[in-house]
């Protein structure tokens, strides 16, 4: 390959797709993972859709559940989610089967999405009066009969009933943390909520993965934040960092993940590697792991 920017990019793209095609061991049962951080702008939706696409490119069957009323995950996956489209709102409030709202993602084989519509904005209020309001998503996921390796749930940046439904439906929590000032701000509250849900509603829930996003290796701040996070969460932090990347930011406006928008970019390669780490991790080790508490983080 000639040593020009275009040649190098083409080489990276070839390597990326080769690595994606290697395949990974399938989990023994569906891993249900919620991507949560009530702090906005940390790359939560970006992480959800790109990890999901990466796992699907590695050969897994993956469902993204868009639980954010803004519907950004649905947009990034090229899924229609205007008001008339059957959506996760119908599942939560109207008890519609999940299978009736799931759509295949056009560009990535094995990737599916349960979209969010603007109706979801009112769901927090409507759920309050419903029976078993915290576990409606969990029941819908349990009744879904299509075989899946992973379910990734994208949450709104809040700790309301939608996020509680996601935590009750999941066994693993993925927390994206951006490598900037105040990175750990609010994280203690999130961990306390995870512990509350674990104690009262879902004993299997645990923080399995922390992913450092928007990493700029040229700055001292990024490495300081990375060191601080690794100091608090030695076992959960992935080795792979997600770089600050224009390509990652541009991809959703084309209804794509960075994996299909620019497969040779540093962002695509990083998400492929992060997905590989997640897939290869022995989740059994996390079941009994006493994860870090909120003390000392605030």
């Amino acid at each position: 390959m000639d040593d020009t920017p275009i040649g190098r990019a083409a080489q990276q793209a070839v390597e990326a797709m080769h690595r994606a095609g290697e395949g990974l061991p399938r989990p023994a049962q569906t891993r249900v993972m919620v991507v949560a951080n009530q702090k906005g702008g940390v790359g939560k939706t970006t992480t959800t859709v790109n990890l999901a696409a990466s796992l699907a490119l590695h050969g897994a069957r993956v469902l993204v559940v868009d639980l954010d009323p803004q519907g950004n995950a649905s947009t990034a996956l090229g899924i229609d989610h205007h008001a008339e489209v059957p959506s996760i709102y119908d599942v939560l409030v109207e008890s519609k089967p999940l299978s009736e709202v799931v759509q295949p993602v056009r560009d990535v084989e094995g990737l599916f999405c349960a979209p969010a519509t603007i109706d979801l904005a009112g769901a927090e209020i409507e759920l309050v009066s419903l029976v078993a309001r915290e576990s409606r998503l969990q029941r819908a996921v349990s009744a879904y009969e299509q075989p899946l390796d992973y379910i990734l749930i994208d949450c709104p940046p809040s700790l309301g009933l939608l996020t509680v439904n996601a935590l009750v439906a999941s066994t693993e929590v993925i927390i994206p943390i951006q490598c900037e000032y105040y990175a750990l701000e609010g994280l203690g509250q999130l961990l306390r909520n995870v512990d509350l849900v674990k104690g009262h509603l879902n004993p299997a829930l645990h923080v399995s993965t922390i992913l450092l996003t928007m990493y700029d290796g040229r700055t001292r701040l990024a490495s300081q934040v990375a060191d601080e996070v690794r100091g608090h969460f030695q076992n959960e932090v992935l080795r792979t960092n997600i770089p600050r990347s224009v390509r990652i930011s541009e991809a959703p406006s084309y209804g794509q993940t960075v994996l299909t928008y620019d497969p040779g970019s540093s962002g695509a390669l990083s998400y492929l590697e992060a997905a590989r780490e997640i897939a290869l991790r022995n989740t059994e080790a996390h079941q009994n792991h006493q994860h870090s508490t909120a003390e000392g983080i605030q």
Side-chain angles (χ1 to χ4, degrees), residues 259-296:
L259 279 302
T260 54
Y261 178 65
D262 189 352
S265 65
S266 61
L269 294 170
S270 297
Y271 272 115
L272 280 168
E273 198 54 45
R276 187 174 185 79
E277 273 193 73
I278 288 170
L280 290 173
R281 280 185 161 203
N282 179 4
T283 54
E284 296 285 319
H286 292 290
Q287 294 290 355
N288 302 317
H289 178 65
Q290 200 77 32
H291 72 260
S292 307
T293 58
E295 280 76 46

Side-chain angles (χ1 to χ4, degrees), residues 208-227:
S208 68
T209 306
I210 290 176
L211 179 63
L212 295 168
T213 63
M214 304 179 194
Y215 184 84
D216 185 346
R218 298 169 299 180
T219 68
R220 184 185 296 175
L221 174 64
S223 58
Q224 286 174 341
V225 171
D227 289 345

Side-chain angles (χ1 to χ4, degrees), residues 39-94:
K39 198 165 184 287
V42 300
K44 197 161 62 272
T45 298
T46 302
T47 291
T48 304
V49 297
N50 285 300
L51 281 180
S54 298
L55 288 164
L57 286 168
H58 278 304
R61 286 176 61 84
V62 186
L63 170 64
V64 171
V65 175
D66 190 352
L67 216 57
D68 188 340
Q70 294 181 65
N72 291 335
S74 307
T75 299
L77 294 173
I79 297 292
D80 196 9
H81 60 103
H82 58 78
E84 287 75 39
V85 171
S87 72
I88 201 69
Y89 168 86
D90 302 295
V91 173
L92 292 175
V93 178
E94 308 293 343

Side-chain angles (χ1 to χ4, degrees), residues 104-128:
V105 174
R106 189 178 58 250
D107 295 329
V108 182
E109 187 178 350
L111 182 57
F112 305 87
C113 178
T117 59
I118 195 63
D119 293 335
L120 202 55
E124 292 270 6
I125 297 164
E126 293 177 70
L127 282 168
V128 169

Side-chain angles (χ1 to χ4, degrees), residues 97-211:
L98 187 57
S99 57
E100 292 184 20
V101 308
V102 168
Q103 300 182 40
V105 174
R106 189 178 58 250
D107 295 329
V108 182
E109 187 178 350
L111 182 57
F112 305 87
C113 178
T117 59
I118 195 63
D119 293 335
L120 202 55
E124 292 270 6
I125 297 164
E126 293 177 70
L127 282 168
V128 169
S129 61
L130 297 179
V131 175
R133 61 192 181 188
E134 298 94 352
S135 57
R136 293 179 76 83
L137 181 60
Q138 188 269 331
R139 289 212 311 276
V141 166
S142 298
Y144 188 73
E145 292 181 348
Q146 295 297 320
L148 291 168
D149 297 304
Y150 298 89
I151 298 175
L152 273 73
I153 306 172
D154 187 34
C155 291
S158 68
L159 293 173
L161 266 175
L162 290 175
T163 300
V164 170
N165 261 271
L167 291 171
V168 172
S170 304
T171 51
E172 300 182 52
V173 184
I174 299 175
I175 305 176
I177 296 178
Q178 86 282 39
C179 295
E180 295 179 349
Y181 283 121
Y182 308 124
L184 297 177
E185 188 182 70
L187 195 57
Q189 183 60 51
L190 173 61
L191 293 177
R192 277 192 290 274
N193 278 52
V194 169
D195 281 336
L196 277 171
V197 172
K198 181 185 176 78
H200 295 282
L201 297 164
N202 181 6
L205 186 67
H206 63 290
V207 176
S208 68
T209 306
I210 290 176
L211 179 63

